[in-house]
Amino acid sequence: MRTPDAAKVLIVDDLPGNLLALNALIRRDGREIFQASSGEEALDLLLEHEFALAILDVQMPGMSGFELAELMRGTGKTRQIPIIFVTAAGKEQNYAFTGYETGAVDFLYKPLDVDAVRSKVNVFVDLYSQRMETRRQVEALEKSRKEQELLMQQLTATQGELQAAVRTRDDFISMATHELRTPLNTLYLESQLRKMQLDRGRADIFDLPYLHAMVARDRRQIEAMMRLIDDMMDASRINSKQLSIRRVPMELSALLARVVENLTNQAAAAGSPITLDAGQPVTALWDEFRIEQVVINLLTNALRYGEGKPVEVSLRLLPQGACISVRDQGRGISAPDQQRIFEQFSRVASDDGTGGLGLGLFITRQLVEAHGGSISVESRQGEGSVFTVTLPLTPPVAPIP
Ligand code: ADP
């Protein structure tokens, strides 16, 4: 019967009658019998199939059973196949086969004894089946060992990523609470001071100029906290892929003029006048609120890190789209830092307390890319920086993931 796992047995004899008889004797389920009437024919079959056993007639014209066995022992593929020689001769001639020590060899004598034939063949075929089963188990074990190894590698990588994510989150929480604490502390101290004055009956100091200054100071602290919270919310929207862009027709040079105007006081406080070179009006479909956020982020950074020197904003229309650049002449950014400032929570170490949460440029880049645009920086330490944003005039065909 031909089944995929059938043990194959080769019988070789020059006499068809012998082949037929032997075949009938050893045939059974789960076994596949191949017949060859010469050594040459047998070699062809031996190269094609994997046999559990070969039963060779010793006396054949042309290649004898022993010669065939010697050829089998000389080839890797057939070396380990057990051989049963069928011979009419006495025992003394059996050792004429010189290759017997390399594999199992047995003898059957003519006239064949039915039980002896069956039991010898059964032993060899059973041995073969056991060997195959062991091989299958070893292969399965090896496969599962490799799978486990791969799983371990993936697990270790995921563990590393998780640890890094937890570290980043912890760093962020401590940074965010610190950044929120600073304006909150100032507000708290101010309110304590006011209460103290009122408790002492000093309501008279709360005149109009004092109240104006007080409101302006409070507003600055509250705005700082609102900015931080907005940035955190934007970063969380970006990370959960929920940042949406609402495109409306808008004109970019007017937006730049408005932002520069709104930052006049901040620029004056930083000692960095902002000049705008807007050229021609550029109208396209963009998210006005988000583009304004991009420009404000770049300009507030230029004021923050610009060391009190002039800041220039320009708008150009290039073939690839509208190009906004913000140039300062401040501290500049080293080449390695330029690689990472657009990443989340990435701040260049500073001991002067000028930095924020390290979210501004991350959000800026995401907003620009959500418009199908790009952002780049050119900078040298001590010589200032130029941030350039390019926005295509037509929305990209495929949405940016
Ligand atoms: P932050 O809130 O810390 O300013 P950003 O993402 O806006 O975060 O900027 C990341 C870092 O890049 C800043 O900490 C700063 O060191 C550096 N950086 C950004 N803009 C400039 C600039 N114009 N000049 C020098 N350094 C800058």
Side-chain angles (χ1 to χ4, degrees):
M1 190 186 187
R2 185 181 280 263
T3 62
D5 286 332
K8 295 177 178 177
V9 178
L10 175 66
I11 52 180
V12 190
D13 200 311
D14 57 310
L15 299 176
N18 286 354
L19 282 175
L20 215 64
L22 194 57
N23 191 332
L25 216 59
I26 63 171
R27 155 183 310 282
R28 62 154 67 174
D29 278 357
R31 209 174 272 178
E32 204 180 337
I33 315 291
F34 289 75
Q35 299 181 175
S37 53
S38 68
E40 288 78 7
E41 213 179 295
L43 279 174
D44 283 347
L45 288 170
L46 281 161
L47 291 176
E48 199 179 323
H49 300 274
E50 192 184 338
F51 286 104
L53 172 68
I55 306 176
L56 315 182
D57 183 34
V58 171
Q59 272 152 349
M60 291 188 290
M63 195 187 299
S64 78
F66 288 148
E67 282 166 341
L68 173 58
E70 262 163 46
L71 285 176
M72 284 170 67
R73 291 296 186 246
T75 310
K77 186 174 184 319
T78 53
R79 181 169 298 137
Q80 298 306 328
I81 300 175
I83 297 171
I84 299 179
F85 291 111
V86 182
T87 173
K91 279 196 173 176
E92 61 283 0
Q93 278 195 25
N94 295 339
Y95 300 101
F97 170 52
T98 52
Y100 73 95
E101 67 284 347
T102 52
V105 169
D106 210 336
F107 293 87
L108 282 169
Y109 303 102
K110 291 177 185 172
L112 293 177
D113 172 79
V114 173
D115 290 336
V117 172
R118 284 196 177 135
S119 71
K120 274 192 183 174
V121 171
N122 287 351
V123 167
F124 281 115
V125 171
D126 286 352
L127 272 172
Y128 171 81
S129 302
Q130 282 165 18
R131 225 177 34 244
M132 287 299 107
E133 184 52 32
T134 311
R135 192 204 281 179
R136 263 197 295 276
Q137 282 173 2
V138 168
E139 279 169 7
L141 267 170
E142 178 60 11
K143 189 167 162 245
S144 82
R145 194 190 62 77
K146 280 197 178 132
E147 281 168 0
Q148 267 181 19
E149 208 174 274
L150 202 76
L151 223 66
M152 266 318 282
Q153 280 169 3
Q154 285 167 347
L155 225 69
T156 315
T158 312
Q159 193 187 26
E161 280 164 21
L162 280 174
Q163 279 168 347
V166 169
R167 255 197 317 275
T168 309
R169 191 204 56 190
D170 289 348
D171 288 354
F172 173 69
I173 291 172
S174 75
M175 220 152 68
T177 41
H178 173 77
E179 295 295 332
L180 280 173
R181 206 78 175 89
T182 310
L184 208 58
N185 273 347
T186 314
L187 274 177
Y188 181 72
L189 286 176
E190 287 268 353
S191 74
Q192 290 287 88
L193 205 68
R194 287 167 209 159
K195 182 173 180 303
M196 211 172 73
Q197 305 286 21
L198 290 174
D199 288 349
R200 287 184 185 161
R202 296 291 319 275
D204 57 305
I205 62 161
F206 294 93
D207 59 4
L208 210 55
Y210 184 93
L211 282 175
H212 272 298
M214 192 177 96
V215 170
R217 273 200 309 275
D218 288 357
R219 195 191 154 111
R220 269 200 304 279
Q221 308 303 338
I222 291 166
E223 278 175 354
M225 287 191 284
M226 279 165 54
R227 258 197 319 274
L228 280 171
I229 289 167
D230 285 347
D231 275 1
M232 285 192 268
M233 282 168 61
D234 276 344
S236 132
R237 269 188 212 111
I238 290 167
N239 288 329
S240 58
K241 310 245 182 296
Q242 280 173 346
L243 183 87
S244 61
I245 295 296
R246 286 186 201 91
R247 291 177 187 271
V248 289
M250 57 157 283
E251 201 281 297
L252 199 51
S253 67
L255 179 140
L256 291 178
R258 195 174 67 237
V259 174
V260 170
E261 167 72 27
N262 289 347
L263 286 174
T264 313
N265 286 343
Q266 212 172 313
S272 297
I274 307 175
T275 52
L276 171 63
D277 172 12
Q280 72 209 92
V282 181
T283 302
L285 286 174
W286 291 312
D287 186 325
E288 186 159 9
F289 172 73
R290 294 306 191 176
I291 298 297
E292 184 172 328
Q293 197 179 347
V294 165
V295 180
I296 292 175
N297 279 352
L298 294 181
L299 272 172
T300 45
N301 274 353
L303 296 177
R304 196 189 271 171
Y305 305 111
E307 295 182 333
K309 295 183 187 136
V311 170
E312 295 156 41
V313 185
S314 74
L315 171 64
R316 294 279 170 273
L317 191 55
L318 300 177
Q320 60 270 35
C323 193
I324 308 164
S325 60
V326 176
R327 177 187 297 274
D328 68 65
Q329 299 164 38
R331 61 161 81 160
I333 308 161
S334 72
D337 287 335
Q338 288 172 32
Q339 305 286 321
R340 58 182 191 89
I341 50 172
F342 295 102
E343 285 164 24
Q344 210 166 181
F345 313 131
S346 152
R347 310 196 287 184
V348 177
S350 71
D351 44 19
D352 56 6
T354 48
L357 275 182
L359 282 177
L361 287 177
F362 167 70
I363 294 169
T364 301
R365 185 172 82 173
Q366 301 292 326
L367 293 177
V368 170
E369 288 180 356
H371 282 82
S374 61
I375 181 167
S376 60
V377 62
E378 272 175 62
S379 181
R380 283 169 80 130
Q381 261 182 312
E383 292 180 21
S385 315
V386 190
F387 283 85
T388 306
V389 167
T390 308
L391 295 167
L393 299 188
T394 42
V397 180
I400 301 295

